[in-house]
Amino acid sequence: MNPAVNESDSILNQYSFEVEGGNFNAAGTVSTRIKSLLKQNGLSDDVVRKSAIVSYEAEINIVSYARKGTINLIVTSHAVVIEVVDEGPGIPNIELAMEQGYSTANQQIREMGFGAGMGLHNIKSYSDKFDISSEVDKGTFLKMIIARNNSKKD
Ligand SMILES: Nc1ncnc2c1ncn2[C@@H]1O[C@H](COP(=O)(O)OP(=O)(O)OP(=O)(O)O)[C@@H](O)[C@H]1O
Ligand SMILES: [Mg+2]
């Protein structure tokens, strides 16, 4: 059993994607793939939308700040779980990084249209459960859980 999910949940599908740091040409391809896989899995528009937003923000952060990372997507009977682990500089002050408007984005990142300091805040607000941990000079780990609305058809 994957530790990401509750014991009452059954895993329906899981996928893993690699993200390359610094490659802005490919930025967004993993979250686009996640969006289409979740549609194929029959998830509601609302869950697909939230999952696409959080995975996009996490993917852009890997591209912007880390050397490389992995995004794991787990579809369970009750939720979409997105785990993101990267190898990179880590985040020295998570509380500060979570603040709206705080950004260390350099000129290149800002020219690409990123660096508003909203990514982590949005990830947290679109997730039903959000965990973040980081070790300086090692990397960062995020876990987002987006609950499925099971009332209609599951
Ligand atoms: N994976 C990461 N590795 C290292 N530092 C990170 C990582 N993700 C975020 N950070 C740090 O946290 C800050 C805030 O991240 P956040 O995603 O909220 O905003 P941003 O990336 O600066 O701008 P935006 O996401 O709005 O384009 C970043 O500027 C960076 O300093
Ligand atoms: Mg960001």
Side-chain angles (χ1 to χ4, degrees):
M1 165 69 72
N2 188 303
V5 294
N6 296 325
E7 269 170 59
S8 61
D9 291 14
S10 44
I11 293 174
L12 304 177
N13 262 319
Q14 50 187 324
Y15 312 88
S16 186
F17 310 92
E18 300 303 316
V19 179
E20 198 187 329
N23 186 353
F24 284 96
N25 288 326
T29 52
V30 168
S31 45
T32 301
R33 183 89 185 101
I34 285 174
K35 188 176 183 178
S36 82
L37 282 167
L38 292 177
K39 279 189 194 168
Q40 282 172 36
N41 274 268
L43 286 137
S44 72
D45 290 349
D46 186 50
V47 170
V48 172
R49 184 178 62 89
K50 290 193 257 185
S51 303
I53 291 168
V54 306
S55 59
Y56 179 74
E57 293 295 348
E59 181 182 7
I60 297 297
N61 281 354
I62 296 171
V63 175
S64 300
Y65 308 111
R67 281 189 300 280
K68 62 173 180 170
T70 303
I71 300 181
N72 295 315
L73 171 68
I74 304 149
V75 181
T76 81
S77 49
H78 292 79
V80 172
V81 182
I82 299 167
E83 294 175 328
V84 183
V85 55
D86 72 45
E87 291 174 22
I91 302 176
N93 185 336
I94 288 175
E95 205 182 327
L96 186 60
M98 292 298 304
E99 275 181 21
Q100 296 182 59
Y102 176 83
S103 179
T104 63
N106 65 23
Q107 191 61 29
Q108 186 205 6
I109 296 167
R110 290 176 194 273
E111 276 166 12
M112 306 294 301
F114 308 116
M118 289 304 295
L120 291 173
H121 173 84
N122 288 338
I123 289 172
K124 187 177 182 183
S125 59
Y126 284 106
S127 300
D128 293 296
K129 191 166 182 296
F130 172 65
D131 284 315
I132 176 168
S133 60
S134 188
E135 198 177 336
V136 171
D137 293 335
K138 288 254 193 296
T140 299
F141 175 79
L142 311 176
K143 186 169 99 181
M144 291 78 90
I145 299 181
I146 293 147
R148 301 179 63 163
N149 182 351
N150 289 322
S151 59
K152 284 178 205 146
K153 56 177 189 163
D154 294 52

